[in-house]
Amino acid sequence: MRVVTDLVAALDGDEEDAEPIPEQDVPPPQEVLLRALAAAPPTVDPPPDELMNAPGELTRFSGRAPHVSALALRRGLTAGLVTRCRAEGASVHAALCAAACTVFHRAGRPRVRVLSPVDLRRATGLPDAVANRFAGARTASGASQAEDFWGLARHHHKALARLRTPQVLKTGSEALAQQPPATPEEAEAMMTVATAADIQITNPGVVQTPAHDRGCLTALWGPAQTTRLRGGHVLGVATHGGRLRMTELDPVAVLLPDMVAVLARQCAEPDPPSS
């Protein structure tokens, strides 16, 4: 996001307002920074889930340009989604996870895994730098959970909250550092396990318009990336100008429209009280 706002400033002719960037040494890797975190009380981990760690299958590099699908929520629906999530004790990101899982479950998938990148700057207080400062957190759901949307959203929210704690992130980093890959093949195999999921949802949240912006930045889409994991989908989410925008590469044709339909229904129709 900093790169984007810097680019907007340059295109907008405000180079004179930009702050000078001092020369810096190469920043230390995140593994070293996480190692320096203070020890925290041990946590009770849930039992291992072999299905969660099933590796993904890599496909051959095709060289073709990916197909891009994009859809923006109306401002009213975006605001309504934020309000309803707060009332339900869930985050907007968790609601997006629940919406994607609901669509996949309705299409017949008995189990759905979601990969959510974690910003280590916010989660553990790592210093900002143009460097890797993220980890991955995976959550999953079964088909029966799709019957209670907000229960499913809270499920993802609670699971992500545990996976974002500094101690869990530090433990995961240390586990990888203790068994570093020795060959490109080992590194590739490690990544197929660490990133295997039915969908990845990358959501940097609300992107603030730079103070110097004179209207150059009117919309923001992404983040977006391609992978070679078979059947995997990458959904980038960014909220700017009061509208939540979703971008998917190599999309399932109905995923974004169906996700929006699920979210709109859940925001428009509060669940009836239980009898």
Side-chain angles (χ1 to χ4, degrees), residues 112-167:
V112 179
R113 296 178 296 175
V114 183
L115 174 64
S116 299
V118 176
D119 180 7
L120 296 177
R121 297 167 176 84
R122 289 188 295 175
T124 65
L126 293 192
D128 197 8
V130 183
N132 279 358
R133 293 289 185 266
F134 63 89
R138 283 181 299 173
T139 55
S141 67
S144 62
Q145 293 174 279
E147 299 173 2
D148 178 4
F149 178 84
W150 291 110
L152 180 55
R154 286 187 289 271
H155 162 76
H156 284 285
H157 182 69
K158 292 177 181 177
L160 286 171
R162 187 189 70 82
L163 294 170
R164 287 171 175 156
T165 58
Q167 187 61 23

Side-chain angles (χ1 to χ4, degrees), residues 5 8 29 39 76 85 90 104 115 118 157 165 178 187-188 195 209 236-237 256:
T5 54
V8 169
C85 285
F104 282 131
L115 174 64
V118 176
H157 182 69
T165 58
Q178 290 171 2
E188 191 174 72
T195 64
T209 300
V237 183
L256 296 189

Side-chain angles (χ1 to χ4, degrees), residues 85-223:
C85 285
R86 289 173 178 169
E88 294 289 346
S91 64
V92 170
H93 185 83
L96 291 168
C97 293
C101 289
T102 298
V103 173
F104 282 131
H105 286 315
R106 289 177 178 175
R109 297 197 191 189
R111 184 176 176 83
V112 179
R113 296 178 296 175
V114 183
L115 174 64
S116 299
V118 176
D119 180 7
L120 296 177
R121 297 167 176 84
R122 289 188 295 175
T124 65
L126 293 192
D128 197 8
V130 183
N132 279 358
R133 293 289 185 266
F134 63 89
R138 283 181 299 173
T139 55
S141 67
S144 62
Q145 293 174 279
E147 299 173 2
D148 178 4
F149 178 84
W150 291 110
L152 180 55
R154 286 187 289 271
H155 162 76
H156 284 285
H157 182 69
K158 292 177 181 177
L160 286 171
R162 187 189 70 82
L163 294 170
R164 287 171 175 156
T165 58
Q167 187 61 23
V168 170
L169 293 168
K170 180 181 179 181
T171 301
S173 175
E174 290 174 344
L176 291 174
Q178 290 171 2
Q179 294 181 325
T183 66
E185 290 75 19
E186 288 183 5
E188 191 174 72
M190 180 181 292
M191 289 299 295
T192 62
V193 174
T195 64
D198 298 286
I199 185 169
Q200 173 180 321
I201 302 180
T202 301
N203 179 14
V206 178
V207 179
Q208 301 293 342
T209 300
H212 55 68
D213 183 32
R214 295 196 298 264
C216 183
L217 184 60
T218 58
L220 189 65
W221 300 88

